[in-house]
Amino acid sequence: MTETNNIAILETTLRALAESKKYVTLRDILTTIHAADIAAIFERLQEEDLPLLFRLLPKELAAETFVEMQQDTQEALIRTFSDRELKQIVGELYVDDAVDIIEEMPANVVRRILEMADPEMRRSINELLRFPEDSAGSIMTTEYVALRPSVTVQQAIGYIRKVGPDKETINSCYVLSPDRKLIGVVSIRRLLLSDDEATIEQIMDENINSVSTLTDQEEVALQFSRYNYTALPVVDQEHRMVGIVTFDDAMDVMEEEATEDMQIMAAMTPTDKTYLHSDVLHLFLQRVPWLLILMVSATFTGMIITGFESALAAQAALVAFIPMLMGTGGNSASQSSVTVIRGLSLGELDFRDVGAILWKEIRISLLCGLALGVVGFVKILLVDKLLLGNSDITIGVTLTVSITLLLTVVAAKIIGGILPLAAKKVGLDPAVMASPFITTIVDALSLLVYFGVATCVLRL
Amino acid sequence: MTETNNIAILETTLRALAESKKYVTLRDILTTIHAADIAAIFERLQEEDLPLLFRLLPKELAAETFVEMQQDTQEALIRTFSDRELKQIVGELYVDDAVDIIEEMPANVVRRILEMADPEMRRSINELLRFPEDSAGSIMTTEYVALRPSVTVQQAIGYIRKVGPDKETINSCYVLSPDRKLIGVVSIRRLLLSDDEATIEQIMDENINSVSTLTDQEEVALQFSRYNYTALPVVDQEHRMVGIVTFDDAMDVMEEEATEDMQIMAAMTPTDKTYLHSDVLHLFLQRVPWLLILMVSATFTGMIITGFESALAAQAALVAFIPMLMGTGGNSASQSSVTVIRGLSLGELDFRDVGAILWKEIRISLLCGLALGVVGFVKILLVDKLLLGNSDITIGVTLTVSITLLLTVVAAKIIGGILPLAAKKVGLDPAVMASPFITTIVDALSLLVYFGVATCVLRL
């Protein structure tokens, strides 16, 4: 059911069934579809058809589908729910999902949801809501399996069979001391493969990684992909266990963080709303500030060109190469910066690699610069001068452009490689150093180099 | 142990212990560290120290660490292994990890590894090696738990306890018909929470997603993040089960694909080698072709400028705004294209959204274009003309630049939003349509618009 065209076919079928009011068939089909797909289909329905179709879903599937929906659809649905319906949905939610939903809702909806939650869930939700956004505490769930070190494997399995239904996962069970400190972990696999009479203490893995409630979610996701965990325990300042983050949340974070990096690299304020669910004003506000900033900061390049106006008038051919030089500089810089930014995001690089990066970028940039300079020299003479017959182009101009290519590429790659590290060092997001920002610096620099070289070579 | 500075501290400690030959202490410390961290530390050691330290690791940890290492380090290590050592490591590997390693090795090393594998493993490896790179078949493992529909929960649990140690995961068990067709799935959780006497057939989930051996790994990863699976079954053309892909492989793929998209967006040939492990020549070859292509394609912008040389000579102030206009066009386009490319990668958008995207981009681009046009108009008159005293700037020039800003932003955003969809439609990677490629088109376009508007407004 994943392929989007399969979903499109399903959507057409469901729409037809809904129109001909064949609700029983509709319900039967819906129960065979994964909640994520139902949500995707429902998102595309008219808002007025949604409550009716949603009510066809069995309780558990309804809750799963609800979790997968976009925030504005969730909000619209809640407004159509009776108290009883809302209570049912909330009762089926895992605490971390409930918190995700609540975090995005307006206050009056939040109040209604909390009223409909049972007291224990309300307490857990309120607890989780206190953690800062994007922290491990805010994405964790409190529904995990805790074991005492002294019980036997058989007792533990019996206990898990009893409490399992309410836990988000039973794949990892956490061993806590009497004062709730985390002292080990046992996987369900280890439990099943161990002797019935062994104690948890004997089989648990004491060598356990945990994160603090305040750890940034990006760091949490990094641990998942580094260590291949299905769940990661979250502890408070006193190393008391308070919850777990599961791999599915970590996957969402990984996707979110990669999206965020790409948005920042493309000069946008990051947003976690999907494109189709963002209104035009939201997208406009996400994009226009950076366009304005970059437009205004291009004042420098304008000033540089104006300063060399008389030189450009004397050698009109120089103007035609400005876009190419600036483009090459920008591309060279973003190649290096994106490489380093991604390495930092994945934890493969850090500040102590600054020397290695610098040395590598110097050598790569010299090779690239030489290649571009030589190819540029030949291409300008053969294509621009001979083939296109631009008689303004002299050997001097060609040489000026080639030397500028070499110098610009070297400077661009070094700046592109080092600035993200510097940003990280002073606590900024390295991604802000990517394409547009670095490009603005490199643009100005390449013009300065160009006119500098022109002044020397052409004696302007 | 995740924070990179913790690893740095550990590295210093281990290095000191190695130098003072305190191997017992060293071994004790190593056994408390996660394989991924040991690999990270070992990668930074001198190549000659590596075999000695590696031999200190207990068998299982040694295999886990080996899997986490970079390909060139693995190769160097294998060359120092005796046959017995290699056999031990290979014996501890999961089939999918063995295949990952083998895929990157030169033929003579591959032959040695296969010789050291037991016959069953050799058969599995050879089978998996036949699948195309980046397909589900190439990343799956054949070590999964298969159950018959007629057995009871109790029998199934007994069976799992017996075969579990050799399986990559027991969290999901797959129910196969006598001819090995996949008919259902049972989670270990469901098993444990069910009645002992129930049959697998009664409790299994028949509503199961699977992928084919030839499904692209990007699609596989998308299914994981969409459906929150811990494992996904892989079937052949006759729907016979052949293996599973586990979530950790899917996470690796997600990271790889995001990295690949970013590399392509930044005009680089994608590579899965990490930066520090790539030699200069490799990185040079990854970067230089695109720089050359983009440099040569900038011939068009040069030609356009040359074509308007006399107009530019008459209105010298126009030249100074070229970089700003091209930059704004490029930034506007990459904002839209990156948004759409990411939406496509995450499965949130597809070709049938073309109308919605077009309509949204038109409205956003009009808003952005108007904002930039107005701010640009005021800024040029106040800053460039009055403050910086550039007397060449007339109302006509200002108007020309402002109108160009509006038109360029609109055109750039529409092109940026639509081209990735078109690429996807014809089977190209949408990411190739991102920044540098679109920028080249938009660069040429914005110059044409600029000179077109200038001709009208300034009657050149």
Side-chain angles (χ1 to χ4, degrees):
Chain A
M1 287 308 137
T2 54
E3 318 277 348
T4 35
N5 46 338
N6 283 358
I7 293 191
I9 295 167
L10 256 174
E11 191 186 327
T12 318
T13 314
L14 294 180
R15 223 185 267 275
L17 287 170
E19 267 162 35
S20 53
K21 303 205 184 333
K22 299 217 166 99
Y23 296 124
V24 179
T25 323
L26 201 50
R27 188 193 158 107
D28 286 347
I29 296 182
L30 282 173
T31 53
T32 68
I33 309 177
H34 193 287
D37 292 331
I38 300 180
I41 294 170
F42 279 11
E43 293 288 352
R44 290 172 178 270
L45 292 176
Q46 298 297 321
E47 213 168 274
E48 58 270 25
D49 300 337
L50 192 56
L52 178 75
L53 285 176
F54 191 83
R55 286 193 177 88
L56 290 177
L57 299 173
K59 210 169 56 171
E60 198 181 333
L61 188 58
E64 283 167 22
T65 304
F66 190 77
V67 169
E68 299 282 346
M69 288 177 149
Q70 297 288 320
Q71 178 237 326
D72 47 356
T73 322
Q74 289 171 337
E75 198 181 321
L77 261 178
I78 290 179
R79 296 195 189 280
T80 73
F81 284 162
S82 69
D83 280 357
R84 210 182 114 258
E85 284 170 326
L86 184 58
K87 202 181 175 84
Q88 268 191 352
I89 296 281
V90 173
E92 289 286 332
L93 294 179
Y94 287 116
V95 175
D96 56 342
D97 291 330
V99 170
D100 278 356
I101 293 168
I102 282 180
E103 273 174 338
E104 307 283 334
M105 294 288 157
N108 57 340
V109 179
V110 173
R111 211 169 314 120
R112 251 194 92 199
I113 296 176
L114 287 176
E115 275 166 21
M116 293 305 129
D118 64 49
E120 195 193 342
M121 181 145 188
R122 187 158 50 232
R123 194 156 9 88
S124 302
I125 291 176
N126 278 321
E127 212 170 275
L128 295 188
L129 281 175
R130 261 183 285 132
F131 293 109
E133 210 186 339
D134 296 347
S135 68
S138 76
I139 55 169
M140 73 182 183
T141 179
T142 48
E143 295 155 315
Y144 60 90
V145 177
L147 298 174
R148 274 177 296 139
S150 55
V151 301
T152 64
V153 167
Q154 193 173 25
Q155 287 171 322
I157 292 177
Y159 173 72
I160 292 168
R161 292 180 90 155
K162 205 175 73 198
V163 300
D166 292 330
K167 305 302 179 187
E168 178 149 345
T169 181
I170 62 162
N171 296 347
S172 296
C173 305
Y174 299 90
V175 189
L176 306 188
S177 67
D179 55 349
R180 301 200 66 73
K181 295 223 164 103
L182 174 65
I183 55 176
V185 64
V186 170
S187 67
I188 189 75
R189 173 188 184 135
R190 184 67 176 265
L191 268 174
L192 284 177
L193 303 182
S194 295
D195 193 60
D196 272 342
E197 297 313 314
T199 64
I200 296 302
E201 200 160 17
Q202 289 166 335
I203 64 162
M204 72 183 183
D205 185 357
E206 291 167 76
N207 186 6
I208 180 175
N209 275 319
S210 60
V211 291
S212 121
T213 49
L214 300 177
T215 305
D216 189 83
Q217 62 172 5
E218 192 168 1
E219 171 65 28
V220 175
L222 219 51
Q223 290 221 18
F224 271 91
S225 71
R226 188 176 175 99
Y227 302 118
N228 297 339
Y229 293 136
T230 54
L232 190 59
V234 183
V235 296
D236 66 12
Q237 311 295 24
E238 281 81 42
H239 210 70
R240 278 189 304 254
M241 174 122 182
V242 288
I244 55 170
V245 177
T246 48
F247 78 99
D248 52 317
D249 300 311
M251 274 194 180
D252 291 345
V253 171
M254 277 169 62
E255 272 187 357
E256 249 174 57
E257 297 287 341
T259 304
E260 203 173 277
D261 278 359
M262 289 185 201
Q263 288 176 332
I264 296 175
M265 285 178 194
M268 286 180 277
T269 313
T271 173
D272 54 6
K273 275 193 163 185
T274 64
Y275 180 74
L276 292 180
H277 275 82
S278 305
D279 55 36
V280 169
L281 190 70
H282 178 83
L283 291 167
F284 165 69
L285 291 175
Q286 186 197 5
R287 296 181 186 182
V288 81
W290 285 99
L291 291 179
L292 288 172
I293 291 170
L294 293 167
M295 177 181 82
V296 172
S297 67
T299 306
F300 295 108
T301 53
M303 284 166 66
I304 295 169
I305 291 181
T306 308
F308 282 83
E309 213 164 66
S310 55
L312 287 174
Q315 285 283 352
L318 289 177
V319 177
F321 295 105
I322 289 178
M324 186 272 278
L325 290 171
M326 289 173 57
T328 303
N331 289 326
S332 304
S334 57
Q335 287 181 335
S336 306
S337 63
V338 166
T339 304
V340 171
I341 290 165
R342 190 62 182 154
L344 288 170
S345 287
L346 296 181
E348 287 161 7
L349 296 177
D350 63 73
F351 195 76
R352 67 199 162 116
D353 297 313
V354 60
I357 294 172
L358 191 60
W359 174 224
K360 213 162 220 175
E361 289 302 321
I362 289 173
R363 287 175 296 162
I364 301 169
S365 63
L366 278 172
L367 286 175
C368 286
L370 282 171
L372 286 170
V374 171
V375 174
F377 190 86
V378 174
K379 179 249 163 193
I380 293 170
L381 286 183
L382 288 186
V383 179
D384 299 335
K385 188 171 173 67
L386 287 180
L387 196 67
L388 300 175
N390 186 341
S391 55
D392 287 349
I393 297 174
T394 60
I395 292 285
V397 168
T398 313
L399 204 61
T400 301
V401 174
S402 303
I403 295 173
T404 306
L405 274 171
L406 169 62
L407 296 178
T408 303
V409 170
V410 173
K413 287 209 163 293
I414 292 173
I415 293 173
I418 298 304
L419 268 191
L421 287 175
K424 175 101 178 185
K425 189 73 181 174
V426 299
L428 288 174
D429 186 336
V432 299
M433 288 297 160
S435 316
F437 190 76
I438 286 188
T439 302
T440 303
I441 298 177
V442 170
D443 277 354
L445 195 77
S446 55
L447 282 177
L448 286 175
V449 171
Y450 190 33
F451 295 134
V453 173
T455 310
C456 294
V457 174
L458 303 173
R459 307 188 190 288
L460 293 173
Chain B
M1 286 308 139
T2 55
E3 318 277 348
T4 33
N5 46 339
N6 283 358
I7 293 191
I9 295 167
L10 254 173
E11 192 185 325
T12 318
T13 314
L14 294 180
R15 222 186 268 275
L17 287 170
E19 267 163 35
S20 52
K21 302 204 185 339
K22 301 215 165 101
Y23 295 123
V24 179
T25 323
L26 200 50
R27 186 191 159 108
D28 288 346
I29 295 182
L30 282 173
T31 52
T32 68
I33 309 178
H34 193 286
D37 292 331
I38 300 180
I41 294 169
F42 279 12
E43 292 289 351
R44 290 173 178 269
L45 292 175
Q46 298 295 321
E47 214 169 272
E48 59 270 26
D49 300 336
L50 192 55
L52 178 76
L53 285 177
F54 191 83
R55 284 193 179 88
L56 290 177
L57 298 173
K59 210 170 55 170
E60 199 181 334
L61 187 58
E64 283 168 20
T65 304
F66 189 76
V67 169
E68 300 282 347
M69 286 176 150
Q70 297 287 320
Q71 180 239 322
D72 48 356
T73 322
Q74 289 172 338
E75 200 182 320
L77 260 177
I78 290 179
R79 295 192 191 282
T80 72
F81 284 161
S82 69
D83 279 356
R84 210 183 112 260
E85 283 170 325
L86 184 59
K87 202 180 176 86
Q88 267 193 352
I89 296 281
V90 173
E92 290 285 333
L93 293 178
Y94 286 115
V95 175
D96 56 340
D97 291 330
V99 171
D100 277 356
I101 292 168
I102 281 180
E103 271 174 340
E104 309 282 334
M105 293 287 157
N108 57 341
V109 179
V110 173
R111 211 171 312 121
R112 251 194 92 200
I113 295 176
L114 286 175
E115 274 166 21
M116 294 305 131
D118 64 50
E120 195 193 344
M121 180 144 188
R122 187 157 53 231
R123 195 158 7 90
S124 301
I125 290 176
N126 277 320
E127 213 170 273
L128 295 189
L129 281 175
R130 262 183 287 131
F131 293 107
E133 208 187 340
D134 295 347
S135 68
S138 76
I139 55 169
M140 73 183 184
T141 178
T142 50
E143 295 156 315
Y144 60 90
V145 178
L147 298 175
R148 274 178 298 138
S150 55
V151 301
T152 63
V153 167
Q154 193 173 25
Q155 287 170 323
I157 292 176
Y159 173 71
I160 292 167
R161 294 181 90 155
K162 205 175 71 198
V163 300
D166 292 330
K167 306 301 179 187
E168 179 151 344
T169 180
I170 62 162
N171 295 348
S172 295
C173 304
Y174 299 91
V175 188
L176 306 187
S177 67
D179 55 348
R180 300 199 66 74
K181 295 221 163 103
L182 174 66
I183 55 175
V185 64
V186 169
S187 67
I188 189 74
R189 173 189 183 134
R190 184 67 175 265
L191 269 175
L192 284 177
L193 304 183
S194 294
D195 191 62
D196 272 342
E197 297 312 316
T199 66
I200 296 301
E201 201 160 17
Q202 290 167 333
I203 64 161
M204 73 183 183
D205 185 357
E206 291 168 77
N207 185 9
I208 179 174
N209 277 320
S210 60
V211 292
S212 123
T213 48
L214 301 177
T215 304
D216 189 84
Q217 62 173 6
E218 192 170 0
E219 172 64 28
V220 176
L222 219 51
Q223 290 220 19
F224 271 92
S225 71
R226 189 177 175 97
Y227 302 117
N228 296 339
Y229 294 137
T230 52
L232 189 59
V234 184
V235 297
D236 66 12
Q237 311 295 23
E238 282 79 43
H239 209 69
R240 278 189 305 252
M241 174 122 183
V242 289
I244 54 170
V245 178
T246 46
F247 78 99
D248 51 317
D249 301 310
M251 274 193 181
D252 291 346
V253 171
M254 277 169 62
E255 270 186 0
E256 250 175 54
E257 297 287 340
T259 304
E260 205 173 275
D261 278 359
M262 289 185 201
Q263 288 174 333
I264 296 175
M265 285 178 194
M268 287 181 276
T269 313
T271 174
D272 54 6
K273 276 193 163 185
T274 63
Y275 180 76
L276 290 180
H277 274 82
S278 305
D279 55 38
V280 169
L281 191 68
H282 177 83
L283 291 167
F284 166 69
L285 291 175
Q286 186 198 5
R287 297 181 186 182
V288 82
W290 285 98
L291 291 179
L292 287 171
I293 291 170
L294 293 167
M295 177 181 82
V296 172
S297 68
T299 306
F300 295 107
T301 53
M303 283 166 68
I304 295 169
I305 291 181
T306 308
F308 282 83
E309 213 165 67
S310 55
L312 287 174
Q315 285 283 352
L318 290 177
V319 177
F321 296 105
I322 290 178
M324 186 271 279
L325 290 171
M326 291 174 55
T328 303
N331 290 326
S332 303
S334 56
Q335 286 182 335
S336 305
S337 64
V338 166
T339 304
V340 171
I341 290 164
R342 189 64 181 154
L344 288 169
S345 288
L346 296 181
E348 287 162 5
L349 296 176
D350 63 74
F351 194 76
R352 69 198 161 114
D353 296 314
V354 61
I357 294 172
L358 192 60
W359 173 225
K360 212 161 221 176
E361 288 302 321
I362 289 174
R363 287 176 294 163
I364 301 169
S365 63
L366 278 172
L367 286 175
C368 286
L370 282 171
L372 288 171
V374 171
V375 174
F377 190 87
V378 175
K379 178 248 164 193
I380 293 170
L381 285 184
L382 288 186
V383 178
D384 299 337
K385 188 171 172 67
L386 288 180
L387 195 69
L388 301 175
N390 186 340
S391 55
D392 288 348
I393 297 175
T394 60
I395 292 286
V397 168
T398 313
L399 203 60
T400 301
V401 174
S402 303
I403 295 173
T404 306
L405 274 171
L406 168 63
L407 295 178
T408 304
V409 170
V410 172
K413 287 209 162 292
I414 292 174
I415 294 173
I418 299 303
L419 269 191
L421 287 174
K424 175 98 179 189
K425 188 74 181 173
V426 299
L428 288 173
D429 186 335
V432 298
M433 288 296 160
S435 316
F437 189 75
I438 285 187
T439 303
T440 303
I441 298 177
V442 170
D443 277 354
L445 196 77
S446 55
L447 282 177
L448 286 175
V449 171
Y450 190 35
F451 295 135
V453 173
T455 311
C456 294
V457 174
L458 302 173
R459 308 186 189 289
L460 294 173

